[in-house]
């Protein structure tokens, strides 16, 4: 009661579903056999997205400063022990993540890398007048796709197009990344794919 469920991911082998509750700042786990729900972890702010590593031992969890998606800024990005509910590494203090929005994370099939979307480009440099106005109107215009190692190191920006780039995933063989790209109006999204170095970007759909 009083919660605000945001994101769900499952571990079929353990019959467990993880759910982020932005209202209560809690990550819940639910046993899909007994339907018993227990508190997995209490977060410092509003938990947003959850990504599980392929072996289900690690989780990358992002947190928002506010419930309303209005600033593009994030409170925390942490790597968790997915069974013990303990923080393995807090990436929030690192300059790449500090104060910047990260969401839509996904692990590579071998668990060695994480692809994610971030709006850091709106906050790590001086914006021109057009960009400042765009930030006020829609912060998601600055969302771009990034790649990093599973421990948070080696971060690389892969996209540079205007408009929201988000929801990235790896293909089943880990050779490419698939994501959604909104146009400048923020109304129409299409599916794109690229290599892991950001090259060979191709539009798959045309809505």
């Amino acid at each position: 009661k009083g919660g605000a469920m945001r994101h769900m991911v499952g571990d079929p082998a353990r019959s467990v579903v993880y759910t982020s509750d932005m209202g209560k700042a809690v990550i819940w786990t639910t046993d899909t056999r007994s339907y018993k729900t227990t508190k997995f972890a209490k977060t410092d702010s509003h938990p947003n997205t959850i990504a599980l590593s392929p072996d289900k031992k690690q989780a990358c969890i992002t947190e928002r400063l506010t419930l309303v998606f209005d600033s593009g800024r994030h409170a925390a990005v942490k790597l968790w022990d997915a069974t013990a509910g303990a923080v393995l590494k807090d990436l929030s203090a690192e300059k790449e993540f500090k104060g910047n929005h990260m969401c839509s994370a996904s692990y590579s099939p071998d668990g060695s890398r994480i692809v994610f979307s971030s709006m850091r480009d709106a906050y790590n440099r001086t914006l021109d007048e057009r960009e400042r106005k765009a930030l006020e109107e829609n912060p998601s215009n600055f969302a771009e796709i990034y790649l990093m190692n599973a421990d948070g190191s080696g971060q690389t920006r892969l996209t540079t197009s205007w408009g929201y780039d988000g929801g990235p995933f790896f293909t089943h063989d880990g050779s490419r990344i698939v994501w959604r790209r909104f146009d400048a109006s923020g109304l129409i999204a299409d599916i794109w794919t690229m290599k892991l170095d950001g090259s060979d970007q191709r539009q798959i759909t045309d809505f």
Side-chain angles (χ1 to χ4, degrees):
K1 188 175 181 179
M5 305 307 175
R6 173 67 176 90
H7 195 212
M8 301 174 68
V9 294
D11 179 356
R14 294 172 50 231
S15 301
V16 171
V17 172
Y18 298 79
T19 305
S20 60
D21 185 342
M22 298 186 77
K24 294 184 177 180
V26 169
I27 302 295
W28 303 99
T29 55
T30 301
D31 187 313
T32 58
R33 296 160 297 189
S34 66
Y35 299 107
K36 180 181 179 181
T37 298
T38 57
K39 183 186 293 185
F40 170 72
K42 177 73 173 176
T43 55
D44 295 326
S45 52
H46 308 290
N48 186 21
T49 60
I50 308 170
L52 285 177
S53 60
D55 60 10
K56 305 302 187 290
K57 293 181 178 180
Q58 179 173 297
C60 179
I61 300 176
T62 66
E63 301 173 30
R64 285 186 188 174
L65 283 170
T66 64
L67 286 174
V68 180
F69 187 61
D70 59 354
S71 68
R73 291 182 179 260
H74 242 240
V77 180
K78 297 175 183 176
L79 302 178
W80 294 74
D81 183 316
T83 56
V87 175
L88 298 173
K89 187 174 184 179
D90 186 352
L91 302 178
S92 312
E94 299 184 12
K95 66 177 183 178
E96 292 89 352
F97 285 111
K98 194 172 184 180
N100 293 314
H101 181 90
M102 170 187 168
C103 62
S104 306
S106 180
Y107 283 83
S108 61
D110 64 2
S112 66
R113 296 196 239 186
I114 297 174
V115 64
F116 62 95
S117 178
S118 173
M119 298 179 193
R120 65 183 60 176
D121 189 49
Y123 307 102
N124 61 11
R125 61 185 176 86
T126 301
L127 304 181
D128 60 31
E129 185 175 349
R130 169 180 172 270
E131 291 172 325
R132 288 196 299 271
K133 183 178 180 181
L135 180 61
E136 293 175 358
E137 294 176 349
N138 185 6
S140 65
N141 278 322
F142 293 87
E144 302 292 348
I145 305 300
Y146 294 78
L147 185 67
M148 67 180 179
N149 295 322
D151 63 359
S153 65
Q155 296 179 38
T156 305
R157 179 175 174 176
L158 302 181
T159 61
T160 57
S161 296
W162 185 254
Y164 176 83
D165 286 305
F169 291 90
F170 289 89
T171 54
H172 71 284
D173 61 358
S175 65
R176 298 183 69 88
I177 292 168
V178 179
W179 82 100
R180 64 181 182 272
R181 169 174 287 169
F182 279 81
D183 62 9
S185 70
L187 299 176
I188 300 175
D190 280 296
I191 305 301
W192 287 66
T193 180
M194 62 182 164
K195 293 182 179 179
L196 303 191
D197 61 0
S199 65
D200 193 28
Q201 296 189 15
R202 304 178 190 176
Q203 183 175 342
I204 297 176
T205 62
D206 186 10
F207 293 118

